[in-house]
Amino acid sequence: MEREGRAGGVASGELVTIGEFARLSRLSAKALRRYDELGLLRPALVDPVNGYRYYDPAQVEGARLVAWLRRIGMPLNRIGRVVALDAGAAAVEVRAYWARVEAETAARRDLAMYLVDHLSAEGGKMSRMPDNAENNGNSGSVGALAIRCAALTDIGVVRTANQDAAFAGPRLLAVADGFGEGGAEASAAAIEALKPSTWGRDGGLSAADLLNALEDTADSAARAVRDAVAPCEAPDGSGTTLTAMLWTGSRLGLVHIGDSRAYLLRGGELFRITHDHSLVQSMIDDGSLSPEEASSHPGPALLLKALVGEARPAAVAVACRPDVRLQEVLAGDRYLLCSDGLSAVVDTADLRTAVVAADDPEEAVRRLVGLAREAGGPDNVACAVADVVVE
């Protein structure tokens, strides 16, 4: 009789007990109590006398959505935001979350593959190296390497303020694209935090130590951005992208977050060596958008990762850390770092032409800024170019 009574209550749209609702939603009563405590799924009624929870059967879909989001690993605080949205907006939020997960997985995969290649090469080198041989990190017959570089920013044609920043020095190449109320302060702070870096002089650090140093450098930039935008009325709405390369004397260490980019010109070909942390890039990755369609995508440039002023829980902060890796270099390489004020309005073929044609980095950055302005200059532009040369 009790079972029939519960079923009749469901059919008539009446409230049901937590036990019956657990059966309908395929969640445990314990999970439902937890979701109530966290504000993710409130009962329709709580008896003021005995504290019993009662649910409306119409809440079943919402309960199942919470369970599904938990199964894909979404944090509880983000689930709370998703379930409060309408279906269309919730779909966008879930896509953005999963794109970020895939981007982070790809970054870890790339690092793992680098370590496999590096350790395999080191193992082979050790097996061939005499006991008294020395390795200073440079190739045998080639002299010591250095970089010659230049950087330039431009306000563009449309904007009234410049929130981009760029820097080029003998040990650091960096661009940052700020956004929000404190965007200019954020981009400047991110780059400034990298300038004191003096690790790895003359290639003296091992690959493992360099990777650790890059992680520390990325953390310093994140803290600097938080401090810089703290005085803003809404610090969580301000932040910056960051793409930077730190020169060790034999390698370049790459720190990257957001949709600014790094390119390598080698052998006459221009290769993009960073992966955008953006919703559009995630749609390209999953095949729902072609690269040609992406160039004219009408949606906003939604970033999946950036350095922001928001104080984040430790688990979220770790998941949103910049990509770091080491880049082996060859004499004759030319590197380009730029904000999307350049890459979003100038196609890759024209970028390559400008980078190839320039005699030196100073000419290259002038040509590139000129191209962005000729394309309408809808955004601020930042770019930095470096040549790897034999001293």
Side-chain angles (χ1 to χ4, degrees):
M1 288 296 293
E2 182 183 358
R3 187 175 184 85
E4 291 176 359
R6 287 201 303 267
V10 172
S12 63
E14 297 174 359
L15 301 184
V16 297
T17 64
I18 190 171
E20 177 65 8
F21 191 74
R23 185 185 68 82
L24 293 170
S25 63
R26 299 184 181 180
L27 295 172
S28 68
K30 181 179 179 180
L32 291 173
R33 293 188 189 98
R34 177 63 172 159
Y35 296 160
D36 179 15
E37 293 168 359
L38 295 172
L40 298 178
L41 185 68
R42 298 291 193 189
L45 175 69
V46 177
D47 191 302
V49 177
N50 55 33
Y52 291 167
R53 296 172 172 86
Y54 296 90
Y55 293 81
D56 188 325
Q59 293 178 277
V60 167
E61 284 303 313
R64 289 176 178 170
L65 175 60
V66 172
W68 291 331
L69 294 174
R70 288 296 292 152
R71 288 181 66 183
I72 67 172
M74 184 177 286
L76 289 170
N77 62 340
R78 188 160 186 171
I79 290 176
R81 295 198 300 270
V82 172
V83 298
L85 300 171
D86 61 48
V92 171
E93 185 72 11
V94 172
R95 175 187 284 277
Y97 167 75
W98 193 247
R100 194 193 74 188
V101 171
E102 290 184 325
E104 290 159 3
T105 302
R108 291 195 295 270
R109 180 198 62 221
D110 291 345
L111 177 57
M113 291 301 98
Y114 168 81
L115 291 172
V116 168
D117 292 343
H118 173 76
L119 293 171
S120 298
E122 286 294 309
K125 188 185 303 181
M126 291 295 291
S127 67
R128 296 190 302 270
M129 187 180 298
D131 291 340
N132 62 348
E134 294 184 0
N135 178 21
N136 64 3
N138 297 318
S139 56
S141 60
V142 178
L145 299 177
I147 58 173
R148 302 284 184 263
C149 52
L152 186 62
T153 65
D154 186 75
I155 195 171
V157 176
V158 176
R159 299 294 178 90
T160 58
N162 192 354
Q163 294 187 311
D164 282 11
F167 180 83
R171 300 189 59 76
L172 172 66
L173 199 70
V175 298
D177 182 356
F179 56 85
E181 176 191 354
E185 292 80 5
S187 60
I191 292 180
E192 194 65 30
L194 305 186
K195 289 183 182 179
S197 298
T198 56
W199 47 265
R201 287 190 180 279
D202 303 320
L205 292 184
S206 69
D209 288 337
L210 284 174
L211 286 170
N212 289 336
L214 284 172
E215 293 278 4
D216 292 341
T217 299
D219 290 343
S220 297
R223 288 193 297 271
V225 169
R226 288 196 298 271
D227 292 343
V229 304
C232 298
E233 291 186 8
D236 58 337
S238 295
T240 186
T241 70
L242 176 66
T243 301
M245 302 187 98
L246 294 101
W247 176 241
T248 71
S250 61
R251 294 187 183 96
L252 283 166
L254 175 67
V255 178
H256 168 70
I257 187 167
D259 62 356
S260 295
R261 293 180 176 180
Y263 295 87
L264 164 64
L265 179 70
R266 177 179 287 175
E269 296 296 323
L270 188 68
F271 306 94
R272 174 151 63 107
I273 59 174
T274 53
H275 195 79
D276 292 352
H277 300 132
S278 68
L279 182 58
V280 167
Q281 182 63 56
S282 75
M283 295 171 72
I284 296 173
D285 295 341
D286 67 20
S288 59
L289 199 66
S290 71
E292 294 74 22
E293 292 169 334
S295 62
S296 58
H297 189 267
L302 177 62
L303 294 176
L304 302 179
K305 293 203 300 184
L307 300 179
V308 296
E310 178 184 14
R312 292 166 162 169
V316 178
V318 169
C320 293
R321 294 179 77 170
D323 300 340
V324 300
R325 71 174 225 236
L326 304 182
Q327 178 74 28
E328 298 294 340
V329 300
L330 297 176
D333 286 348
R334 174 168 284 183
Y335 288 89
L336 163 65
L337 277 58
C338 65
S339 65
D340 68 341
L342 177 65
S343 60
V345 298
V346 178
D347 64 35
T348 304
D350 290 336
L351 283 180
R352 177 191 170 280
T353 299
V355 173
V356 168
D359 290 332
D360 53 43
E362 290 82 1
E363 181 184 347
V365 294
R366 289 195 300 269
R367 282 176 178 262
L368 293 165
V369 168
L371 285 176
R373 294 185 69 90
E374 289 171 10
D379 199 358
N380 305 148
V381 184
C383 57
V385 173
D387 289 345
V388 180
V389 298
V390 178
E391 287 189 314

